[in-house]
Amino acid sequence: MKQSIYDLTFDQLTDWLMERGHKKFRASQVWDWLYNKRVKEFSEMHNVNKECIQLLEENFVIQTLKQEVKQESADGTIKFLFKLQDGNVIETVLMRFHYGLSVCVTTQVGCNIGCSFCASGLLKKSRDLTSGEIVEQIMNVQHALDDKGQGDRVSHIVVMGIGEPFDNYDNTMDFLRIVNSQKGLAIGARKITVSTSGLADQIYQFADEDLQVNLALSLHAPNDELRTRIMKINKAYPLDKLMPAIDYYLEKTNRRITFEYIMLRDVNDHKEEAEQLAKLLKNKRHLSYVNLIPYNPVDDHSYQRSEKEAILGFYDTLKKNGINCVIRHENGTDIDAACGQLRSKQVKKDKKRKQQKEKAAN
Ligand code: SAH
Ligand code: SF4
């Protein structure tokens, strides 16, 4: 299987070409064709010499993802399912906001963290995505926008699709450098957000990267007992390990951090938890805000979405305690926009079809 050309950072491509006797400027040309003119074949790169094109064709492919499904919601949200070269299926979502177009990318096929409320966690990780496969999700969405001919550009990225980005750390970092590069899509680091379930070791590492990318932490509970119940990763990284990593990140970067908090009815949405959360975040409230997320119910989990009053009450308690807080607006609820839901439905459908086929064959 050939590698995706999008796997390579600009420096990696430059080195790769120079090692094979090509001039340094070829890498700039190739990147210009890929990210600005956005061609889908090497042969369309008209100012690149034949030899170089041949070399690229022998070693790389431009499109490794195949679009399987594209669902458009009334509010402009578009959900894509892509088939990878090895047959695995991943999902990508485009959302329209007043500030721009944001794409939610997947980083792994499945997820091993196994949070008890999440559709992605139901499907064990079968592998990490390469950096190119993550970049290609953005490129495919951009190509779809280009085809519409309205000049729309992807302006924001959230790494909040299926998978735990810090469990695929190096590929995620390469992905961030590629989309952020001035020579490529040039999506500003401040317009990119990476969300983690709280792998403390990688939070330290991320704080030390020379990247201005935003960080979001999926907290979902203000104490260990409750957090371990809904997120088993809390056993490995309980709050007394996690919070010092966050403090280090804040001190090192001085950037604001988002705490994500899914509102689960009668589980984590009482006044008591709001007060505990306010206390937990008190010493970092100048650099943090809480995103209250209405839960998107998943078929195989028993959790329910909190009542509106509970969400508003939780919000009030945080506000009264001086914590910055927003209630997340939902997009694309009519098309399974919660991470992993479309994919898990598709995987189930495929399994059922396979079983039916096997039955018929017997
Ligand atoms: N693995 C990373 C990033 C992907 S999940 C993480 O956990 O942070 C992105 C966000 O979606 C997380 O905050 C996650 O808790 C949330 N999420 C997962 N399932 C959800 C659901 N059914 N409804 C609402 N949010 C959900
Ligand atoms: Fe994995 Fe994030 Fe889902 Fe947890 S919430 S199972 S870490 S994708």
Side-chain angles (χ1 to χ4, degrees):
M1 236 181 286
K2 284 186 205 166
Q3 200 184 354
S4 167
I5 186 72
Y6 296 111
D7 274 335
L8 274 57
T9 62
F10 182 75
D11 291 345
Q12 287 165 350
L13 180 65
T14 306
D15 290 348
W16 191 90
L17 287 169
M18 287 177 72
E19 277 162 22
R20 285 155 187 82
H22 290 278
K23 294 260 163 40
K24 199 173 177 176
F25 68 85
R26 289 282 177 229
S28 299
Q29 290 180 329
V30 171
W31 262 47
D32 187 42
W33 285 107
L34 287 175
Y35 294 106
N36 297 322
K37 304 196 178 82
R38 298 192 281 280
V39 296
K40 296 174 190 167
E41 304 280 346
F42 290 114
S43 57
E44 292 176 66
M45 300 182 171
H46 298 309
N47 60 357
V48 179
N49 65 9
K50 282 221 171 76
E51 245 176 48
C52 185
I53 286 187
Q54 205 181 343
L55 185 68
L56 291 168
E57 279 173 343
E58 280 165 13
N59 290 278
F60 300 101
V61 262
I62 295 190
Q63 286 185 299
T64 65
L65 265 53
K66 229 181 85 204
Q67 188 181 303
E68 291 270 289
V69 177
K70 185 175 160 197
Q71 281 187 354
E72 202 152 351
S73 158
D75 64 13
T77 303
I78 309 179
K79 191 138 188 172
F80 299 84
L81 278 187
F82 296 116
K83 193 169 237 168
L84 306 173
Q85 285 195 97
D86 62 5
N88 274 308
V89 177
I90 57 163
E91 71 183 56
T92 308
V93 186
L94 168 74
M95 294 163 289
R96 285 175 192 275
F97 294 105
H98 65 275
Y99 53 76
L101 296 179
S102 179
V103 176
C104 177
V105 293
T106 288
T107 52
Q108 298 178 313
V109 181
C111 182
N112 275 348
I113 306 294
C115 302
S116 64
F117 50 79
C118 173
S120 313
L122 290 171
L123 304 163
K124 280 243 153 239
K125 179 182 101 172
S126 52
R127 73 170 171 90
D128 289 331
L129 294 194
T130 68
S131 51
E133 287 168 331
I134 314 175
V135 176
E136 259 193 70
Q137 295 172 56
I138 306 287
M139 294 313 295
N140 272 283
V141 174
Q142 186 58 56
H143 285 151
L145 293 171
D146 291 345
D147 291 345
K148 284 193 173 174
Q150 292 165 348
D152 281 342
R153 289 290 304 270
V154 173
S155 58
H156 291 68
I157 296 175
V158 287
V159 185
M160 292 190 183
I162 300 170
E164 168 48 54
F166 284 179
D167 182 41
N168 183 14
Y169 189 85
D170 292 342
N171 292 345
T172 299
M173 292 308 123
D174 276 353
F175 158 72
L176 295 174
R177 293 211 159 79
I178 291 168
V179 292
N180 177 232
S181 168
Q182 276 306 317
K183 293 192 158 65
L185 291 173
I187 296 177
R190 289 193 169 77
K191 296 181 174 174
I192 306 175
T193 303
V194 177
S195 172
T196 179
S197 58
L199 308 192
D201 297 337
Q202 282 83 352
I203 292 173
Y204 285 105
Q205 209 177 334
F206 187 66
D208 290 335
E209 299 282 348
D210 56 345
L211 276 165
Q212 306 293 308
V213 170
N214 304 308
L215 182 64
L217 176 76
S218 296
L219 192 58
H220 307 326
N223 62 63
D224 279 324
E225 196 268 314
L226 187 55
R227 193 161 190 270
T228 302
R229 184 139 58 91
I230 59 181
M231 301 175 77
K232 61 179 198 258
I233 186 73
N234 194 65
K235 268 197 202 133
Y237 297 109
L239 294 173
D240 65 354
K241 274 197 181 150
L242 186 53
M243 286 305 161
I246 296 296
D247 288 333
Y248 178 81
Y249 172 86
L250 292 176
E251 198 173 304
K252 186 81 200 284
T253 66
N254 210 30
R255 281 199 301 275
R256 248 172 34 138
I257 190 167
T258 309
F259 292 96
E260 292 161 286
Y261 198 99
I262 300 184
M263 299 296 289
L264 303 166
R265 187 188 300 181
D266 290 335
V267 176
N268 66 354
D269 63 352
H270 312 101
K271 191 167 186 200
E272 188 189 346
E273 279 102 28
E275 281 167 351
Q276 280 179 8
L277 183 60
K279 217 167 150 194
L280 185 70
L281 304 183
K282 195 173 172 199
N283 72 343
K284 39 189 140 289
R285 62 183 174 196
H286 58 294
L287 275 178
S288 58
Y289 76 92
V290 175
N291 211 339
L292 296 178
I293 307 170
Y295 179 59
N296 253 309
V298 174
D299 284 352
D300 304 70
H301 294 317
S302 57
Y303 295 111
Q304 285 169 339
R305 159 182 302 216
S306 295
E307 304 280 358
K308 213 175 198 149
E309 296 76 56
I311 300 180
L312 292 174
F314 204 94
Y315 174 89
D316 278 346
T317 305
L318 289 179
K319 281 275 180 188
K320 269 189 205 129
N321 284 281
I323 304 291
N324 299 311
C325 178
V326 291
I327 299 174
R328 185 186 285 174
H329 167 76
E330 289 176 283
N331 284 62
T333 37
D334 52 334
I335 55 162
D336 307 310
C339 298
Q341 293 198 348
L342 184 61
R343 174 175 182 266
S344 69
K345 271 193 190 162
Q346 182 83 2
V347 171
K348 268 193 218 154
K349 243 196 253 161
D350 289 351
K351 259 194 200 154
K352 218 175 178 180
R353 229 179 274 144
K354 214 172 142 200
Q355 280 167 354
Q356 278 167 351
K357 255 193 206 164
E358 279 166 7
K359 240 189 193 168
N362 285 331

